[in-house]
Amino acid sequence: MKTSRPIRARIAPAAILHNYQLARRQAPQAKAWAVVKANAYGHGQWRAVEALRGEADGFALLECENAIVLREAGITQPILLLEGVFSARDVRAVIEHRLTCVVHCLEQLELLVRNGQFTTPVALYLKLNTGMNRLGFTPETLAKAWGILQQLPQVDVTLMTHFADADGERGVSEQLERFHQMAGDWRGPVSLANSAAILRHPQTHGDWVRPGIMLYGASPFAERSAESLGLQPAMALESAIIGVQDLVAGDRVGYGGTFTADRPMRIGVVACGYADGYPRHAPSGTPIAVMGKRTKTVGRVSMDMLACDLSDIPEAGIGAPVTLWGEGIAGSVPADEVATAAGTIAYELFCALAPRVPVGLDDTATVTRK
Ligand SMILES: *Cc1c(COP(=O)(O)O)cnc(C)c1O
């Protein structure tokens, strides 16, 4: 719905394309699944798919229904179901729509076998649990899975795993070693790398990489900026100043009065709150931009509003443009910095963008971005 309340999210398809191409350049021997799960990390499944339609080697998401929608819209690339099938109906859809399907446990493999006519080749991604202990076969269940798969000549298997700490201290070596142990003398295709592994652990690139967060221009690393990785932000969250308050020393701001002015201050009230998806836990001091200048939030984020310090931006009055995160008309604030201030990650900020925020395309992105 178009509303006149000034909050907007603008999505830059050109940035998503740029970031995808960067992922591919990092892993030049591999093909790349564009991970568009969770509504393309809040950017809009369709916006991401359209941005990459002519470019992506494949699309990865969760729900069979969403995969079918992509097929019906003419997407011909492989589509990977990251959690595999949940029902007999999903199995029939996998076959009918030629979906690529993760299989992570024996129960799921049996569901496939019971409900599928494997008369045409079906592409399966066997997921190995190499230490994350979320989904995946163990050495014991994998042996049983191979036994079942031998009775299905028409399957085309890829071995996959997922890293728990590709962005962190522990890295990938333990999991990679376990993967090779479990894979044994497997010579077929493998798929291991998320964004962090693509950027940091080239030995994991294998045949298909799975970039997610990097497509949307945020960094998978706590200590490394997206910009320094060459990524371009794909989402700008923007709004405007709708109120101005002149404070004297001792005045408090917002619920709980958690911020107290220690000097005369000019405060701007922004039409953006936690019901728009802005993190409520963002403390006073979280970066924000107003009319091209960076400043800081003050006080608690409320449902529909938050406040920021305009003391050094005297030209900003009612209606002044604000960038909450991303590369917006009011300035640039990396989503990663907002996330860090709020004790979370950009993944969560993007996914939490609320349905009430109108979303538009940023067609100027290629022009304005340096
Ligand atoms: C979400 C997901 C990815 C993408 O991870 P990023 O950290 O966003 O790059 C890759 N592989 C699997 C299995 C996933 O579920």
Side-chain angles (χ1 to χ4, degrees), residues 34-47:
V35 179
V36 296
K37 66 185 177 188
N39 199 28
Y41 292 46
H43 292 65
Q45 177 175 291
W46 274 111
R47 290 182 200 97

Side-chain angles (χ1 to χ4, degrees), residues 35 37 41 82 127 160 162 194-195 210-213 347:
V35 179
K37 66 185 177 188
Y41 292 46
L82 286 165
K127 186 165 190 172
M160 77 174 285
H162 192 56
N194 58 1
S195 298
R210 306 188 303 269
I213 193 66
Y347 295 74

Side-chain angles (χ1 to χ4, degrees), residues 5-7 239-245 253-255 268-280 282 288 297-308 324 356:
R5 185 167 176 258
I7 192 162
S239 190
I241 301 291
I242 60 167
V244 175
Q245 305 295 337
V253 178
Y255 284 117
V269 177
V270 182
C272 176
Y274 62 78
D276 298 299
Y278 195 90
R280 185 176 170 278
I288 186 169
T297 65
V298 293
R300 224 176 246 167
V301 174
S302 53
M303 183 183 284
D304 310 315
M305 286 171 262
L306 57 82
C308 63
L324 285 310
R356 82 175 190 188

Side-chain angles (χ1 to χ4, degrees), residues 35 37 41 60 62 80 82-83 102 127 134 160-163 191-198 209-216 220 347:
V35 179
K37 66 185 177 188
Y41 292 46
L62 298 178
L80 175 63
L82 286 165
E83 291 180 348
V102 165
K127 186 165 190 172
R134 216 171 48 169
M160 77 174 285
T161 196
H162 192 56
F163 296 120
S191 174
L192 314 168
N194 58 1
S195 298
I198 291 167
V209 293
R210 306 188 303 269
I213 193 66
M214 67 182 295
L215 299 181
Y216 308 102
Y347 295 74

Side-chain angles (χ1 to χ4, degrees), residues 26 37 70 89 95 164 178 181 196 213 235 277 314:
Q26 293 288 315
K37 66 185 177 188
L70 294 198
R89 199 162 135 244
I95 292 166
R178 207 169 302 171
Q181 270 168 18
I213 193 66
M235 181 194 291

Side-chain angles (χ1 to χ4, degrees), residues 16-232:
I16 297 176
L17 179 60
H18 166 92
N19 296 332
Y20 180 83
Q21 289 169 334
L22 191 144
R24 264 227 301 244
R25 278 200 305 280
Q26 293 288 315
Q29 316 299 333
K31 291 186 175 182
W33 294 107
V35 179
V36 296
K37 66 185 177 188
N39 199 28
Y41 292 46
H43 292 65
Q45 177 175 291
W46 274 111
R47 290 182 200 97
V49 169
E50 285 300 337
L52 300 174
R53 183 187 268 267
E55 188 75 9
D57 299 313
F59 294 98
L61 42 69
L62 298 178
E63 305 86 358
C64 207
E65 294 78 2
N66 276 331
I68 295 169
V69 168
L70 294 198
R71 278 283 178 261
E72 287 174 345
I75 296 296
T76 54
Q77 290 100 320
I79 301 175
L80 175 63
L81 298 178
L82 286 165
E83 291 180 348
V85 290
F86 300 98
S87 68
R89 199 162 135 244
D90 287 358
V91 178
R92 291 190 290 275
V94 161
I95 292 166
E96 183 185 343
H97 296 283
R98 293 163 293 105
L99 307 178
T100 304
C101 188
V102 165
V103 184
H104 62 76
C105 65
L106 287 171
E107 291 80 354
Q108 202 174 40
L109 183 56
E110 280 153 12
L111 182 65
L112 275 159
V113 171
R114 264 200 319 277
N115 295 285
Q117 309 279 328
F118 290 80
T119 52
T120 52
V122 175
L124 298 183
Y125 266 49
L126 279 198
K127 186 165 190 172
L128 311 188
N129 176 10
T130 56
M132 189 161 190
N133 289 312
R134 216 171 48 169
L135 299 179
F137 290 99
T138 61
E140 295 70 38
T141 55
L142 182 63
K144 290 188 183 143
W146 284 128
I148 297 168
L149 285 166
Q150 259 151 30
Q151 298 154 29
L152 306 173
Q154 298 272 42
V155 290
D156 162 10
V157 173
T158 298
L159 290 188
M160 77 174 285
T161 196
H162 192 56
F163 296 120
D165 206 17
D167 55 317
E169 288 266 298
R170 201 164 280 116
V172 297
S173 54
E174 254 178 60
Q175 281 190 264
L176 195 57
E177 193 182 315
R178 207 169 302 171
F179 180 83
H180 289 309
Q181 270 168 18
M182 285 179 75
D185 57 5
W186 176 253
R187 291 280 168 275
V190 302
S191 174
L192 314 168
N194 58 1
S195 298
I198 291 167
L199 294 164
R200 188 164 280 176
H201 304 291
Q203 73 278 26
T204 66
H205 287 170
D207 300 275
W208 280 85
V209 293
R210 306 188 303 269
I213 193 66
M214 67 182 295
L215 299 181
Y216 308 102
S219 171
F221 308 114
E223 73 295 344
R224 183 95 204 256
S225 75
E227 190 179 15
S228 76
L229 295 163
L231 298 169
Q232 296 180 352

